[in-house]
Structure formats: structure tokens, C-alpha cells
Amino acid sequence: MDRLLTAIPAWAPLVAAAIGLAVALGAVLYARATVAFAREQLAAAQAHDLGELPLQEDNETERALRQQIKEDPTSPDPFIGLGEVLGRQGQWSEAEDVLRWAIRLDPESSGGWERLTKLLMAQDRFSEAERLCQERLALEPGNAHAHNTLGVIYRRTKRLDEAVAQSRHAARLEPNRVSAQINLGVALRNLGRLAEAEQAYRKAIELEPRNPVAHSSLGVAILRQGRQQEAESCYFKAIEYDPTYTPAWLNLAIALEKRGANDEAQVAYQFA
């Protein structure tokens, strides 16, 4: 339990103390109330750390981009920016139109197609996203981002052998691309090739030691190989680097529950 409490951010000592008290007393309802407070604090800290734009600022950005387009309708950059803003607001149809126009203005620019591919995938339009990546690769066969994106598309559409091949190719093209190693690890893990998945995650951590996704994913691969304590250490490391990364809390809760640490697991679940 001491280690679980140390995973909670330093700015929340009262939260940590209250959770410890709740577990000691078995007061589940009190723990839930405490965690609700923690969630508010975590959300505030995340918004501050990541510099998330409030909706009002997003609207101001949109107005500025529309003005730039009015002044110079031949430049793809404001169209790309506007498409990203509209996508954030959930205005997917207009965002798609704007991004397709940006690509038409400059077919060789990567910004428009990258954002359009992301927009299509967010709507589960994987065949269209795949076609867009293939079109990009026809122009630029060595584009690691396109190969990496294809790896994600194939994984999400259950074409796992193709996903492994694309992610490996992306990693060969750009050996320092962390996302390619993580995507490769996920595809290998889904195929049950856990030792290879572990190797890919460790490579990602070598490239970016404080990446919470890599640490948490490594923990999953390790836990499935029966190394309980080592897996928990991975989850704690992920939480240490990003206390707001909820998959790590969920994975930790599952691991704690697996070994019968139910009180600690319930606390971790509240943050997931």
C-alpha cells in the first residue's frame, strides 16, 4: 500500500492520506468521495501541464485561421490548422472537407494527410484511412509515419501479421520512432508472441525512458508471462511518470486483484 500511495502526485498529500485511512477502516464510500476529489485535481493538473485549449480559445483560433484563409486561400497551412480545430470540436464533416482541400492545394505536404488519416480512424473508417496511407506511400515509399499508421489500422482490423510487418518496417525506417516500437509490441502481444512484444516495449523505453505507455504495456506483456511482481513495478513506473494515465491504474488494479490484494486494487480501480 505504501508504494501505491507514493504513485499519487506530490501535490495531493491529503488525497494520499485519506485513501490510506479509507483502506485501513474499510470505508469504501469514503474512498470513493476522496477519489472524486483526486480526479478533479488530476484533471486540473493535466489541463495545466498539457496546455489544453479551452473551447473559447479554440473558437478564437478558428476565427484567426478563417481570416488567414480569406486573406490567402492558396496556402494549405491554415486549412490544416482549421481542420485540426474542427476535428477537436467534433465537426468531423467540415474538418474532412477542409483537410481534403489542404491536400489538393499541396499533395506533397504531409500535414494534411496525417490529420485526415487520424480523423478517419477516429470514426472507424479504416478502409478509407488505409487507402489514404497507400496513396501517401505511392508518393513517398519511405514514409515511416504512413507505415506506422498502416500498422495501427491493420491491428485494429485484426490483420495482425500485416500489422507486425508494417510496424517493423516503420521501425527500420526510423529506428528512434517510439510509437512504432509500441505498436509493434501491441501487435505481437495480440498474436501471443509475448517475449517479442516485451523486447519491442523495452526498445521503446530505451528510446524514451519516461514514456508511461511503454512501461504500462511492458507490464501487460510481463504479467501474461507470469512475472507478477515485475509487472506491478512497470505499472508503478508508468504512474510515477504520468499519474493521469488511467490504463496504468487499471492494469495495476487487475494485477493487485490477481494476487489477492483486494483493498489496494479497489483504490487503483478508482483512478482508472
Side-chain angles (χ1 to χ4, degrees), residues 175-179 181-182 197-220 222 230 233-235 237-238 241:
N176 293 330
R177 182 177 281 270
V178 175
S179 61
Q181 296 294 343
I182 293 176
E198 178 181 345
Q199 184 179 12
Y201 293 138
R202 290 194 184 280
K203 177 62 176 177
I205 291 170
E206 179 184 326
L207 293 171
E208 192 174 316
R210 298 178 66 86
N211 188 300
V213 179
H215 283 284
S216 183
S217 299
L218 175 61
V220 174
I222 286 174
E230 191 177 349
S233 295
C234 291
Y235 302 142
K237 187 68 70 175
Y241 293 144

Side-chain angles (χ1 to χ4, degrees), residues 141-211:
N143 189 299
H145 183 84
H147 285 289
N148 191 40
T149 302
L150 277 176
V152 176
I153 292 169
Y154 292 150
R155 172 169 55 82
R156 294 185 64 180
T157 53
K158 310 302 181 186
R159 297 156 64 181
L160 295 178
D161 288 324
E162 293 174 88
V164 169
Q166 289 294 334
S167 297
R168 281 197 195 282
H169 193 43
R172 281 195 295 269
L173 289 168
E174 289 188 11
N176 293 330
R177 182 177 281 270
V178 175
S179 61
Q181 296 294 343
I182 293 176
N183 291 333
L184 174 60
V186 175
L188 288 166
R189 188 184 75 204
N190 289 351
L191 282 167
R193 294 158 62 178
L194 298 176
E196 293 176 80
E198 178 181 345
Q199 184 179 12
Y201 293 138
R202 290 194 184 280
K203 177 62 176 177
I205 291 170
E206 179 184 326
L207 293 171
E208 192 174 316
R210 298 178 66 86
N211 188 300

Side-chain angles (χ1 to χ4, degrees), residues 1-7 19-20 23-24 236 259 263-265 267:
M1 174 56 74
D2 289 342
R3 194 174 185 188
L4 180 62
L5 293 178
T6 61
I19 290 176
V23 172
F236 276 114
R259 68 171 171 84
D263 286 343
E264 294 177 81
V267 174

